[in-house]
Amino acid sequence: MKVSPSLLSANFANLTPEIEMINASEADYLHIDVMDGVFVPNISFGFPVIKAVGKICTKPLDVHLMIVEPEKWISQVRDTGAWLMNVHYEACTHLNSAVARIHQAGMKAGVTLNPSTPVCMLQDIITDVDLVLLMSVNPGFGGQAFIKNTLKKTRELKKLILESGSSALIEVDGGVNETTGKELAEAGADVLVAGSYIFGTPNPEERINLLKGLR
Ligand code: DX5
Ligand code: ZN
């Protein structure tokens, strides 16, 4: 299993030791949640913070934009050094062009689905994307309970990927812990995002290892 700890649950008053912990850990990526107060009812942080984090983080940045019109910000995301830019299906009128432009900017392209958006909406773009992020909570806040229906969506997405010949990874975000993580691994998830489960304990590396060991 690949693991992407979510910076949203880190200590914003002292980020350096948090990033150093991630660098030294078995984590595969660092998940960065950008919120605009419009697409979601919350505001997190913006490009200057991501750039500063990117300078000291040795793991690839997996940037999750919970904002309207994310395609307006492709070059700013690229300038943070991001490895992957995740845009919401619900926020992009012209998703095909957004994905192409993310690739042109030299990044991997991810498409994110809200809990109420069905997997079949990706049928005509699945072979163009590098990753699909399934939200297992309504986006905007850390620490929410896992929405069980995501297990069914993960299985449906796995089937769509296999049948289409896509090489997209399946990432799941929200309410991930060792129990939901195990169920997601069995359903076909490739990457688990976890915020409060990892940062809310005195021994975050142990939890990263626990998620990494899920099959
Ligand atoms: C929620 C964010 C998540 C959040 C997950 O809108 O997209 O990445 O940090 O937090 P947990 O793991 O605590 O549910
Ligand atoms: Zn996220």
Side-chain angles (χ1 to χ4, degrees):
M1 180 60 71
K2 289 181 162 51
V3 178
S4 193
S6 171
L7 190 73
L8 193 65
S9 291
N11 177 8
F12 288 170
N14 196 8
L15 279 178
T16 302
E18 305 277 52
I19 312 285
E20 284 168 351
M21 178 279 290
I22 299 291
N23 288 347
S25 79
E26 294 296 310
D28 297 274
Y29 315 111
L30 178 63
H31 186 82
I32 307 266
D33 289 300
V34 182
M35 305 179 188
D36 66 354
V38 180
F39 184 71
V40 289
N42 198 6
I43 295 177
S44 54
F45 45 74
F47 298 116
V49 174
I50 307 173
K51 247 189 194 164
V53 167
K55 273 195 188 131
I56 55 170
C57 185
T58 57
K59 308 281 177 173
L61 301 185
D62 150 30
V63 179
H64 175 198
L65 296 172
M66 286 161 273
I67 65 174
V68 296
E69 302 182 299
E71 65 278 3
K72 279 190 179 166
W73 305 98
I74 292 171
S75 60
Q76 283 85 347
V77 175
R78 192 245 347 260
D79 291 347
T80 67
W83 161 72
L84 176 132
M85 174 168 167
N86 262 309
V87 296
H88 267 259
Y89 167 85
E90 303 82 6
C92 287
T93 309
H94 301 292
L95 187 59
N96 186 284
S97 127
V99 165
R101 288 178 50 214
I102 292 169
H103 283 149
Q104 278 159 19
M107 293 178 284
K108 299 282 183 197
V111 174
T112 309
L113 297 185
N114 275 337
S116 63
T117 304
V119 164
C120 63
M121 302 314 277
L122 297 177
Q123 193 173 294
D124 292 309
I125 198 149
I126 193 69
T127 52
D128 298 325
V129 300
D130 303 293
L131 178 147
V132 176
L133 173 58
L134 295 178
M135 289 309 300
S136 40
V137 297
N138 285 292
F141 303 91
Q144 303 181 78
F146 181 80
I147 296 173
K148 273 259 174 187
N149 187 52
T150 315
L151 295 173
K152 185 195 92 178
K153 287 177 74 176
T154 305
R155 288 190 290 269
E156 286 171 358
L157 179 56
K158 186 78 189 173
K159 188 164 177 270
L160 177 64
I161 288 170
L162 289 174
E163 284 175 1
S164 64
S166 163
S167 52
L169 293 172
I170 303 179
E171 180 176 46
V172 184
D173 183 8
V176 171
N177 55 39
E178 72 256 47
T179 311
T180 55
K182 172 112 194 66
E183 292 173 321
L184 286 166
E186 285 163 6
D190 303 297
V191 187
L192 297 176
V193 176
S196 48
Y197 176 71
I198 289 175
F199 287 98
T201 71
N203 199 345
E205 283 192 63
E206 199 177 277
R207 294 212 160 165
I208 292 171
N209 292 341
L210 221 149
L211 294 180
K212 277 215 62 84
L214 296 175
R215 292 284 174 266

